[in-house]
Amino acid sequence: DIQMTQSPSSLSASVGDRVTITCRASQGIRNSLAWYQQKPGKAPKLLLYAASSLQSGVPSRFSGSGSGTDYTLTISSLQPEDFATYYCQHYYSTPITFGQGTRLEIK
Amino acid sequence: EVQLLESGGGLVQPGGSLRLSCAASGFTFSNYAMSWVRQAPGKGLEWVASFNGRGVDTFYADSVRGRFTISRDNSKNTLYLQMNSLRAEDTAVYYCAKGGWVDYYDYWGQGTLVSVSS
């Protein structure tokens, strides 16, 4: 199985900050990577797929990049509604696996 | 508007069984693979099982293979998960998601909680 490792596990930031979350795969996944946002008590919400393609309806302050084994999610200017937990997920092969999550908290 | 609505969760004793349902609307259900993903309390996300759109191919995580069965009724736009021989470690919120076994998930249900405890 491909292991997905996110860093950091938690992060404190302020409204307006630029934030980057990293996801590393245990082997190359050829941009087969998605990012999700999850708020407490809610289902995950797809933000990006194919490493950098923005899902319809997702604000453009969210962006993704990377290749091979290393990928990043960037939020260009944090808004109050962005404080949540973020997960990466590969879909390069079966079984698909998720990162352990990054909790983004208000500083 | 795509909607996925899970039901069937609850409290069950170890070794017991439960069947989850996911009613889908807002898209042509039979054209899409569907999956179950679970999340243990305070933990991350774990893919459980997938069923392709029009065929009979099913896929399972090692942790549930032989105990869980995914099925679908395209005439009712409904996905199911039959869970047998339940264990404490199966306690989780179970989400129905649109997407397959090597796919990302663009829509999720609200989840249904399964608690396995004596």
Side-chain angles (χ1 to χ4, degrees):
Chain A
D1 299 2
I2 297 174
Q3 307 304 315
M4 307 299 291
T5 303
Q6 287 182 234
S7 60
S9 295
S10 63
L11 175 61
S12 295
S14 302
V15 172
D17 284 354
R18 179 183 180 91
V19 167
T20 297
I21 298 169
T22 297
C23 182
R24 173 166 288 177
S26 59
Q27 66 184 73
I29 57 172
R30 292 194 171 189
N31 289 4
S32 299
L33 185 95
W35 288 98
Y36 300 88
Q37 176 193 69
Q38 187 178 34
K39 296 182 178 179
K42 300 295 186 182
K45 173 187 174 183
L46 178 67
L47 300 175
L48 298 123
Y49 59 94
S52 61
S53 295
L54 199 65
Q55 173 69 352
S56 176
V58 174
S60 59
R61 64 180 179 272
F62 291 92
S63 63
S65 65
S67 63
T69 60
D70 296 327
Y71 298 86
T72 59
L73 169 69
T74 299
I75 309 172
S76 60
S77 179
L78 273 173
Q79 298 302 300
E81 61 268 29
D82 299 338
F83 292 94
T85 299
Y86 293 84
Y87 293 94
C88 63
Q89 174 227 328
H90 87 83
Y91 51 98
Y92 180 70
S93 62
T94 188
I96 64 99
T97 53
F98 295 85
Q100 81 280 11
T102 295
R103 185 174 179 180
L104 179 52
E105 301 175 318
I106 301 174
K107 183 182 287 183
Chain B
E1 179 192 5
V2 172
Q3 290 193 341
L4 300 171
L5 184 61
E6 301 96 336
S7 60
L11 176 63
V12 61
Q13 292 187 337
S17 299
L18 214 53
R19 188 175 87 151
L20 307 183
S21 300
C22 170
S25 61
F27 65 104
T28 305
F29 182 71
S30 61
N31 285 356
Y32 293 92
M34 296 292 296
S35 298
W36 291 96
V37 178
R38 68 184 180 183
Q39 186 171 36
K43 301 298 184 181
L45 299 162
E46 179 189 17
W47 169 75
V48 173
S50 298
F51 199 125
N52 72 352
R54 303 177 201 179
V56 296
D57 293 330
T58 57
F59 300 82
Y60 297 94
D62 288 345
S63 58
V64 306
R65 186 176 292 112
R67 300 187 299 122
F68 289 12
T69 302
I70 188 172
S71 62
R72 63 192 294 163
D73 185 336
N74 288 341
S75 69
K76 295 182 178 179
N77 290 348
T78 302
L79 181 74
Y80 302 98
L81 185 68
Q82 177 67 44
M83 303 185 295
N84 299 330
S85 302
L86 282 161
R87 306 166 180 167
E89 55 265 35
D90 295 319
T91 293
V93 173
Y94 284 72
Y95 294 103
C96 166
K98 177 174 166 284
W101 57 97
V102 276
D103 212 346
Y104 56 87
Y105 303 112
D106 53 359
Y107 292 95
W108 298 63
Q110 86 290 349
T112 187
L113 176 62
V114 172
S115 296
V116 184
S117 175
S118 54

